[in-house]
Every structure is written in C-alpha cells, then in structure tokens.
Amino acid sequence: MVLLVLGSASPASAHAALRTTDPEDGTILQRAPRTLTLTYTESVGLLTDSFRVYDPENHRLSTGQADHAPGRSDTVRVPLPARLAKGTYVVAWRVVSADSHPVSGALTFSVGERTVTTATAPGQTENRTTTSLYNIARYLAYLAATVLLGAAAFLAYCRPPRRAPLRPLFLAGGATLLGSTLALLLLRGPYEEGTAPTFASLGRTLTTRPGELLLARLALLLVAAVCAVCLRRWGGAVPRPAALTAGATLALALALTWSAAEHASAGIQVPLAIASTTLHLLATAAWLGGLAALLLTLRSTVPPQVITRFSRLALTSVIVLVVTGVYQSWRGLGTWQALTETTYGRVLLAKLAAVGLLLAAAAWSRRWTARLAVPAAKILEPAGGPALPAPAVADAPLPFRHLRRSVLAEAAVGVVVLVLTTLLTSTLPGRAAEEAATAETGIPAASVTTVPFAVGDSGHGKVQITFDPGRVGPNSVQAVVYGANGALAAVPELRITMTLPAQRLGPLDTGLTDRGGYWATNSFDLPIPGTWTMKVTVRVSDLDQVTVSRTVRVAR
C-alpha cells in the first residue's frame, strides 16, 4: 500500500530547471522572433517531441528541429516559422535533466499585442499510469537491491552456520530486482515523454545513458546469478579471497548503476558525489539488508559471534552513512535556509528523523547483542555459587526473543528510511532550486503559486499567481485563470489579498485589474518578511464565487 500511495503521488520536480528564455516569458515583442532559446540550470536531453508552439487560435505551429546551441548542452534552440501573426503564443516544453528525470513547463510570448489565447498550456505533460508504475518499480528496485546486497554482505562477513534460511531472501531479492529493472527499462521511454505505457520508444531508450545503465544492471544480475550457481556447485574449490573480491566488485558495479543516474551525476563535484553516493548505497544495504538476513537467521538459535559480527558491520555502516550523508546533504542543500524552505530539505528532515529512530532501535539491539557476548558461564552462574560445567553452558539457551523483537522494529523503521531515500532521489535539491530561482544576473526570480478552485458543477479551474520578485518591497503581481480543460479562462472578478497573521497585518488588497485575458498590478508592496496568507477570490458568474487560501513565504 505504501508503494501504491507513493507511486501514484504527483512526481516532484527533478534536478534541471529553466533558467532563462529568449524571448522572456510574458514579454511583448514588436517583431516576431526567428528562434526560441531556452537555457537550463544543467545539461538536458531532448525527446522526439520536446517543444510544442501554439498560436493564438490554438493551432500547433510547424517548427524546425530543436537542437543544442554549439558547445552548450544546457541551452536549446528551436527555429520558429518566418511569419508569426499578432497575438499571444504558448510554448510547452519537456526535456530530460542530466540526472535522468524528465522536467516540463510552459511559457508565453506575444507579438505586437497580448491577446486572449485559447491554447492549452502546457497540455499533456505526463501519464499518471506510466508515472505510477515507474515510481513503484523504482521503489521496488531500491528495496530489492538493499535486501540482495545486504544479505550477501551478511553471509560473507558474519558467516552464519546455516545458509538455507537466507535462500528465500536471495531468490526474492534477485527476482524482484530483475523484474523491476525490466519494468524500468520498458517504462523509461513513456515516462520521459509523458505517454501511456508502450514499447514504441524502447529503441531510443537503449541509446540513452539511463537505458544503458539499466542494461548494465541486467547484465550484472546475470553475472551474479552465474557466479552464485558456480559457488553452490564448486564453492569448496574457489579460494575465499577470490570469491570475496568478485562479490565486492559486483556489488560496487551494481551500486554505480544508481549513483551514475541520479542526482550525483549532475551539479557540482560529480566524481566525488558519485563515489559518496555509491558508498552510501552500499552502507545502507549492508545495514538494512543485513537486518533482513539477521531476522531470518534468528528464527533459530545461532552462535553469538554471528550477531556480534553483524553488530560491528552495522556500526561501520552507520559511520559511513554519517560521513557520506553529511556531504550529500551539503551538496544538495547549499544553504541552511533550504533545509526548511525547500521540499528537498523537508524530505531530508523527515529522513533524518527516521534515521534517528533507526539508531535508537539499533542501540536497543546492540544492548541485547552485548548480553549475548557476555560469557555464558557468568549468565548461568547461580548467586553465590560456582559456574555450571562447561558442557551445560554451551547448550544453554540465550535471550534471542528480545533481540528478534528489537531487530524487527529496526527493520520496520529501515523500510521507512528506504522509502524516504527513494523519494529524496526524485526531489529537486535545494541548491538546484536556488540556482533555478536566480537568473544569470543574480536577480531572484518571481514567486509563482498555483491555486485550484471549484465553484458548483462547472466552475473548476486554477489560478496561477506570480509575484515578481516575490520578496520584501515593491512587487508586480500577475494572475492567469485556467479553466477545467486547461485553457485560459475569463472571469468577471478576481481579487487577491495578503495577510500576515503573526504580525496582525492585513488584509492588504493587491488591487488587481483586468488586463484583457489576465489580471495584474504593477505595484504592490510587501512590507515585511514572513509566512503570509494569500486569499484568492474568484467570481465565475453573477452569483457564484469562491475564496481559497494559500500560505506564501516572503523573504527579504
């Protein structure tokens, strides 16, 4: 159920974001442009239908082939038709960021004068079925890899006397990872293009970096399966150092298929980030996947040294996770403010809270592990009397029941940590959000808020509100109303007020006026920073209107 809820949720913004456009969004040009230029915060990949341009009558224009600017993988140019009629044009775009996530958006520009366009913007940007299936496959792949690599580390380092209890874990983990990887490979193309599940784009997927990494993952799983069969048949003839070296190499290569395709592959310090992310994934697998293996092993009594070895393995994993996690947090956030003011920061805080619970559960498990490490003679020594004979000590029962419970609690919290980790990999990092919010001139970009509304049976839509620059001081305010079908809609009245409850300030009326297709004011003053309450009143007829509230963060 967790996978279904997270898989069907709206996808978060990915790493790349639109930095500048030429012509700029919302501008009125005296002459029609010959080329549309878009610059992103990082390099982007193009799809077969990355850019769509609609004229004021909602007719799609025939544009030239979109391509990167010479020497600029972050800049894309789209040739426009030679003659453009007067009016407002809508540009819908969808590209793939360097960290493999698709991003989309829309912008408008006008030739001669701004008109009320009927074009839908940005149109179909995603297919919910494809997105849900792809996200579920991502979560399953992370979970299966953690279980598979962690069980292998547990088997190699802790050396339990019986391997049979771990066999279902290897089979389930390997089958799930194989199936989820195949699903990701088949869904990759439709996920990027925002279309329904289909095999039509599989050929193009195989030529992209994410597709190549998924193919490499499948090949590594095949090699791992062959090695497992060979070890099972001729394990005694294979030197232990050679087997451990081969296993470590396969685990490292498998982890690289994730780190080379996610956030670490874009931004600053890419080689160091990929190395850090790879170690982070391996340490997570050794700890959480090892917990699953330990749970199965504890179904029967095991030698205390097995549990003691896992305790050392888990402690080493925690140290690696702390070091790599601090670096990745700094790289992803950029500033302390991003920890609370960005989605990435808030998800990271949730993950840190879950890790704190995980460490508390681990400390409780280590307590029982320490009890197991105490010489059995001391445990069974009667008060005031001598220890029992050695043979009786060796066969004495140990307190495994309490350890099973604490390890089970630790594993349950570990699943939450894995879910939050996977969610974090698809969330726009705080540093990238700040890059996207600041143009090349260093001027903060506008603050954009989308407010859905519903009035009766037919008055459904949303209002896109832009405060420029969205900080303390004078701001220009623009509001565009979209109907239920996504097209621009005209309403008889639109009013926006701002209130700062913490300072008992407001409501301040923005004073919007109808500018012919959109509502705006050139000067509205936000006097002090804080979390403001924005109330949007939309009247769709003489009798029907609705007021919707949203909170808006205003910085200095």
Side-chain angles (χ1 to χ4, degrees):
M1 291 185 68
V2 170
L3 291 172
L4 288 174
V5 169
L6 292 173
S8 58
S10 299
S13 299
H15 198 137
L18 187 62
R19 183 191 296 273
T20 60
T21 63
D22 183 17
E24 294 183 1
D25 186 17
T27 57
I28 302 178
L29 307 173
Q30 296 303 317
R31 294 183 179 179
R34 296 299 306 273
T35 303
L36 176 67
T37 304
L38 298 91
T39 301
Y40 297 86
T41 56
E42 65 177 40
S43 61
V44 295
L46 301 180
L47 304 172
T48 55
D49 194 25
S50 277
F51 297 92
R52 291 169 288 164
V53 182
Y54 298 90
D55 66 12
E57 302 300 326
N58 198 23
H59 299 142
R60 182 174 178 180
L61 299 181
S62 178
T63 61
Q65 181 67 36
D67 201 0
H68 292 94
R72 296 290 302 272
S73 60
D74 61 345
T75 302
V76 181
R77 299 185 304 184
V78 184
L80 298 175
R83 295 181 180 180
L84 296 180
K86 289 185 177 182
T88 300
Y89 292 79
V90 177
V91 180
W93 56 267
R94 185 178 182 89
V95 296
V96 181
S97 61
D99 59 0
S100 78
H101 298 293
V103 290
S104 59
L107 60 98
T108 63
F109 67 89
S110 303
V111 178
E113 61 182 2
R114 183 179 282 114
T115 59
V116 180
T117 177
T118 59
T120 56
Q124 183 72 18
T125 59
E126 69 174 35
N127 182 279
R128 291 189 177 274
T129 301
T130 300
T131 302
S132 299
L133 292 175
Y134 188 85
N135 286 337
I136 290 174
R138 288 182 66 246
Y139 284 101
L140 287 175
Y142 268 105
L143 181 62
T146 299
V147 168
L148 193 62
L149 296 178
F154 179 85
L155 187 63
Y157 182 75
C158 302
R159 300 193 295 276
R162 298 178 62 245
R163 301 182 179 183
L166 300 181
R167 191 171 302 157
L169 203 60
F170 282 105
L171 293 177
T176 303
L177 184 55
L178 177 63
S180 59
T181 302
L182 285 172
L184 288 172
L185 189 62
L186 295 176
L187 292 170
R188 181 68 202 178
Y191 171 69
E192 290 181 347
E193 297 174 359
T195 59
T198 178
F199 300 146
S201 56
L202 180 59
R204 191 191 66 83
T205 299
L206 297 179
T207 62
T208 63
R209 182 165 57 90
E212 292 172 350
L213 289 172
L214 289 172
L215 280 177
R217 189 182 303 172
L218 289 175
L220 290 170
L221 288 175
L222 179 61
V223 172
V226 172
C227 291
V229 172
C230 293
L231 284 176
R232 187 176 179 182
R233 291 185 177 181
W234 307 294
V238 179
R240 179 177 174 80
L244 292 177
T245 301
T249 303
L250 282 174
L252 181 63
L254 198 61
L256 279 171
T257 63
W258 274 276
S259 57
E262 299 289 352
H263 287 322
S265 62
I268 62 173
Q269 302 175 355
V270 171
L272 181 59
I274 290 180
S276 174
T277 302
T278 302
L279 290 176
H280 198 83
L281 289 173
L282 292 175
T284 300
W287 185 12
L288 302 184
L291 277 176
L294 181 61
L295 273 176
L296 292 180
T297 304
L298 288 176
R299 295 173 65 180
S300 59
T301 303
V302 298
Q305 58 267 28
V306 173
I307 303 172
T308 304
R309 291 190 192 112
F310 176 74
S311 183
R312 290 196 295 265
L313 178 64
L315 180 60
T316 304
S317 300
V318 169
I319 294 173
V320 175
L321 287 172
V322 169
V323 175
T324 57
V326 168
Y327 168 74
Q328 290 172 208
S329 299
W330 167 82
R331 183 178 182 270
L333 289 172
T335 62
W336 285 108
Q337 290 79 3
L339 195 59
T340 57
E341 296 180 359
T342 64
T343 303
Y344 184 90
R346 290 188 285 270
V347 175
L348 180 60
L349 286 176
K351 178 184 175 181
L352 292 176
V355 170
L357 292 175
L358 187 59
L359 289 173
W364 190 255
S365 298
R366 284 180 63 83
R367 175 187 175 188
W368 291 110
T369 301
R371 291 279 300 273
L372 293 176
V374 174
K378 290 187 178 181
I379 296 177
L380 299 179
E381 182 179 352
L388 296 178
V393 172
D395 298 329
L398 296 174
F400 286 104
R401 190 193 322 177
H402 299 291
L403 182 61
R404 289 193 198 103
R405 292 176 179 175
S406 63
V407 170
L408 181 60
E410 195 176 347
V413 181
V415 172
V416 177
V417 172
L418 279 178
V419 169
L420 291 172
T421 300
T422 310
L423 184 61
L424 204 61
T425 62
S426 61
T427 304
L428 178 67
R431 186 186 295 273
E434 187 171 344
E435 291 176 359
T438 304
E440 292 178 343
T441 57
I443 301 175
S447 169
V448 181
T449 305
T450 301
V451 181
F453 67 88
V455 185
D457 296 329
S458 59
H460 294 265
K462 62 183 179 180
V463 184
Q464 182 175 292
I465 304 161
T466 303
F467 282 78
D468 189 3
R471 295 176 177 265
V472 170
N475 282 258
S476 63
V477 185
Q478 292 186 353
V480 182
V481 182
Y482 295 95
N485 60 354
L488 293 176
V491 295
E493 183 180 357
L494 178 65
R495 188 160 61 93
I496 299 176
T497 61
M498 302 292 290
T499 304
L500 186 60
Q503 302 294 333
R504 297 182 180 179
L505 180 61
L508 306 178
D509 196 331
T510 56
L512 296 179
T513 58
D514 191 354
R515 301 292 181 87
Y518 73 104
W519 296 72
T521 180
N522 293 329
S523 180
F524 173 70
D525 189 65
L526 289 169
I528 56 178
T531 302
W532 291 71
T533 299
M534 178 173 61
K535 289 188 177 181
V536 183
T537 301
V538 185
R539 183 163 63 88
V540 298
S541 68
D542 292 338
L543 299 176
D544 297 323
Q545 73 174 35
V546 65
T547 299
V548 185
S549 298
R550 285 291 186 275
T551 57
V552 178
R553 177 71 178 172
V554 177
R556 292 188 180 277

